[in-house]
Amino acid sequence: MKSIYISLLILAILLTGCTKNEVEDPLVIQGTPSEIFAINNDSLLLTSRITYNNDPLLLTGPKSGINLSLIASASSPVVNGVSLSASYVLKRGNKAYVTYNERGNGYGGAIVVYSLANPNFPVIVSEMTFSKTDINACDISGGGSFLYLAGSSKSKGAVLLRLNLSSGIITSTPANVEVVKIGNAASANGVIQGSSWLYVSIGNTNGGLYMLGMTSLQTLDYDPYNGAKFSTANGRNRGDNHLSLEAGATTAYLHVYVIGTNDTQLEKVFDIGPVQTQNVEPELVNFGKATIFIRPGQQTCFISRGKYGMKAIDITNGNLVYESPGNMLSDGNTNGVSADADFVYMANGAQGLAIASYPTSGTTLSIQGVWDDPAHPGSANMVHADGNYVFVAKGQEGGLKIILKN
């Protein structure tokens, strides 16, 4: 199925006038009757959303060998009068890119760029908001010139957006944002660039993994399956692996592909058991969050499975490598998972952030501590660990938590 390429060729207007000391106003807005995009590069104004904490992270549990500090909390951007929820974090160099969407049936999203140049005092340097498009995930081209956003458009369904970057800052005006409709599903929920291609997961119904040309943004191939949840990779070169999760309440599958080929003989599909959410509205049981994570150059993929916790498998043979303890969850759901050389981090919804060490034998992780923000308990929706940082999304009210490993 061919994608439809849409270029928004509309003139941008300034919300406020420039002073004699300004080259241009940092806030630019662009709109049509159906959609409004706005960019803001006023770091001073944007950073007013950040509260600096610099407090030791107070964990419950054994807390063996863990020394973390909550250095900052960032409230969510507001679109259409609604506070958004963080949906994904990507760290590149000394910047972190955080996507946001609107919880529930509404539409509205944002991409926010945080600078970590001063590790103890992160600042927001750039933001683009979208009035009727949820932004669910993002990736950056290997050369750093393009920012790709996987989204859910109220009018178009699953979409991919391409923005320009310069030194990590968004430079596309709203009129220059490129928007591509993908397939006939309602939502695009993952994107990863590999070699000359973009791999975009869309779902649930009429979903699957789509392969787009990195330059043309045209659909070159796709693998159809309902329940496609996320797309990631362990590298960006030909021969590396890109992966997509096919979620399901009865059973779910991890699809493992080879970057640079659409030879179906090279695809591996592993049964990972069910993915399902508990303590939500009945209609949302099979539509919860589910993500996958793999470190660059590694073969172990970590999979969040809702009420079933976390499972990590070897992508070469499907063998179980790690799993969360069977008694880890009572009323929560593992919505997101990330890992570094020291720990595995699991965003467990109502049960906060669980930090686990790797087992010395067997496959079961050892929970070393659990953290929850006392001001905004519950709703640990997403976690991302990269280098010395751990980012935790705490829903609409809790915002984004930036944690530093000491």
Side-chain angles (χ1 to χ4, degrees):
M1 182 178 295
K2 295 294 183 182
S3 61
I4 302 174
Y5 178 82
I6 304 173
S7 179
L8 304 179
L9 301 175
I10 312 171
L11 295 176
I13 60 172
L14 297 179
L15 283 182
T16 56
C18 298
T19 69
K20 62 181 179 180
N21 296 321
E22 293 176 320
V23 176
E24 62 178 5
D25 193 286
L27 178 62
V28 181
I29 189 169
Q30 170 65 46
T32 69
S34 61
E35 181 93 44
I36 295 175
F37 298 168
I39 185 171
N40 190 344
N41 287 335
D42 184 340
S43 182
L44 185 62
L45 176 63
L46 293 169
T47 301
S48 65
R49 295 208 304 262
I50 294 182
T51 300
Y52 297 101
N53 307 96
N54 200 23
D55 296 324
L57 210 64
L58 300 178
L59 304 176
T60 59
K63 299 177 286 186
S64 175
I66 300 177
N67 189 8
L68 303 171
S69 295
L70 175 63
I71 59 171
S73 302
S75 61
S76 298
V78 175
V79 174
N80 303 326
V82 177
S83 180
L84 303 179
S85 295
S87 51
Y88 184 69
V89 176
L90 168 69
K91 184 174 175 290
R92 176 70 67 87
N94 67 0
K95 291 184 174 62
Y97 299 80
V98 183
T99 62
Y100 292 82
N101 57 27
E102 182 174 333
R103 186 173 181 271
N105 296 324
Y107 289 84
I111 175 72
V112 179
V113 184
Y114 293 77
S115 172
L116 307 170
N118 185 332
N120 291 299
F121 292 95
V123 297
I124 303 176
V125 292
S126 189
E127 172 183 277
M128 183 170 278
T129 59
F130 309 87
S131 68
K132 294 186 179 180
T133 300
D134 288 342
I135 306 299
N136 303 318
C138 68
D139 193 30
I140 296 174
S141 61
S145 299
F146 298 107
L147 174 63
Y148 304 100
L149 307 177
S152 312
S153 166
K154 183 175 182 179
S155 59
K156 301 179 182 68
V159 292
L160 177 74
L161 299 86
R162 181 166 66 184
L163 284 65
N164 297 321
L165 293 177
S166 178
S167 300
I169 306 297
I170 300 171
T171 57
S172 284
T173 66
N176 291 331
V177 175
E178 298 170 279
V179 182
V180 177
K181 175 175 169 57
I182 303 176
N184 288 323
S187 174
N189 48 52
V191 56
I192 192 76
Q193 179 249 320
S195 190
S196 300
W197 301 276
L198 297 171
Y199 299 96
V200 184
S201 55
I202 72 171
N204 292 300
T205 305
N206 299 323
L209 184 77
Y210 278 66
M211 176 181 178
L212 279 65
M214 178 181 167
T215 302
S216 68
L217 300 184
Q218 295 295 308
T219 296
L220 304 177
D221 200 359
Y222 70 99
D223 189 5
Y225 43 85
N226 292 334
K229 281 288 188 182
F230 203 72
S231 180
T232 191
N234 65 357
R236 295 184 179 272
N237 300 317
R238 283 178 177 265
D240 290 332
N241 295 113
H242 63 100
L243 307 92
S244 178
L245 175 63
E246 178 184 355
T250 302
T251 190
Y253 301 94
L254 183 70
H255 294 253
V256 181
Y257 307 89
V258 177
I259 291 176
T261 178
N262 55 2
D263 185 350
T264 57
Q265 297 299 313
L266 298 178
E267 178 188 353
K268 299 175 182 177
V269 182
F270 300 115
D271 185 335
I272 60 166
V275 173
Q276 197 173 49
T277 305
Q278 64 180 345
N279 295 321
V280 296
E281 297 85 345
E283 66 272 15
L284 299 178
V285 166
N286 298 326
F287 291 89
K289 300 175 181 66
T291 60
I292 53 179
F293 175 83
I294 190 167
R295 297 172 65 196
Q298 301 296 306
Q299 304 297 324
T300 300
C301 180
F302 298 81
I303 306 160
S304 61
R305 302 173 58 225
K307 69 178 184 180
Y308 298 103
M310 189 284 305
K311 177 183 285 189
I313 67 170
D314 186 326
I315 64 171
T316 65
N317 53 29
N319 290 343
L320 177 68
V321 181
Y322 307 117
E323 58 189 338
S324 56
N327 62 352
M328 180 180 71
L329 298 175
S330 56
D331 58 342
N333 296 283
T334 302
N335 298 316
V337 60
S338 191
D340 58 24
D342 301 311
F343 301 106
V344 178
Y345 308 85
M346 291 167 282
N348 286 338
Q351 292 183 239
L353 174 72
I355 303 173
S357 58
Y358 297 97
T360 54
S361 63
T363 60
T364 303
L365 298 173
S366 177
I367 304 297
Q368 298 299 301
V370 175
W371 176 75
D372 208 358
D373 179 7
H376 302 283
S379 299
N381 295 332
M382 178 273 300
V383 60
H384 177 80
D386 193 311
N388 292 325
Y389 291 93
V390 181
F391 303 87
V392 182
K394 290 287 291 179
Q396 295 170 299
E397 295 80 12
L400 182 75
K401 307 297 180 182
I402 303 176
I403 298 167
L404 188 63
K405 295 175 68 178
N406 301 316

